Amino acid sequence: MRIVVLSQSRTGNTRRAAEMIGGSAEATGAEVSVHAVTEIDYDALGEAALVMVGTWVGGLFFFGHHPGDAGVLNRELPMLHDTPVAAFMTYAHYAGKVMKRYSKLLERKGMDVVATELLRADLLPQGVDAFVDRAIEAVGQRSTT
């Protein structure tokens, strides 16, 4: 299976999570490439069975959460019609209900969000392996139906 992991990171936490996700996916036997959303390898993206896209949680502590750098994501991410996508976000303290907003952003780009995960930056790699397993399983189930 070919997997592309894309991330938009401001402080390096989401990039670090993307690299961990890529390593976890490689451990399953997948062929993986990891890129910033501003440096997408379109050849790899075109061959991917699964795309994993991450950003960070922006906003105020208990309200106003939003996908970090949503403008960059809207500008840089291509339309990916019918491509299974696993969405992940890193956060510092509290993420609120931001994943719903993030999933909608990706769906507006034609992406089929098959798995999501909120990853607390100071607890990485906690949650990474389970997220990768769920995403790969979702793609397998999708291809058999």
Side-chain angles (χ1 to χ4, degrees), residues 63-112:
F63 60 93
H65 292 99
H66 56 84
D69 286 341
V72 173
L73 295 169
N74 274 320
R75 183 178 64 247
E76 299 293 336
L77 288 173
M79 296 296 288
L80 294 175
H81 296 288
D82 299 322
T83 300
V85 171
F88 65 96
M89 301 181 83
T90 58
Y91 69 100
H93 301 288
Y94 179 73
K97 297 179 182 177
V98 70
M99 187 55 78
K100 187 179 281 189
R101 284 181 162 179
Y102 185 43
S103 293
K104 287 184 184 201
L105 181 154
L106 297 175
E107 289 166 357
R108 284 192 300 271
K109 300 293 277 184
M111 300 176 193
D112 179 16

Side-chain angles (χ1 to χ4, degrees), residues 117-137:
E117 187 69 30
L118 290 165
L119 300 167
R120 187 164 157 163
D122 64 340
L123 297 178
L124 288 170
Q126 185 177 320
V128 167
D129 291 340
F131 170 57
V132 169
D133 290 345
R134 273 196 331 276
I136 290 172
E137 182 180 330

Side-chain angles (χ1 to χ4, degrees), residues 2-6 31-35 40-41 44-46 48-53:
R2 178 99 169 118
I3 298 174
V4 173
V5 182
L6 302 173
E31 182 182 340
V32 180
S33 59
V34 180
H35 308 278
I40 296 172
D41 177 342
L45 193 61
L50 172 64
V51 178
M52 304 180 93
V53 183

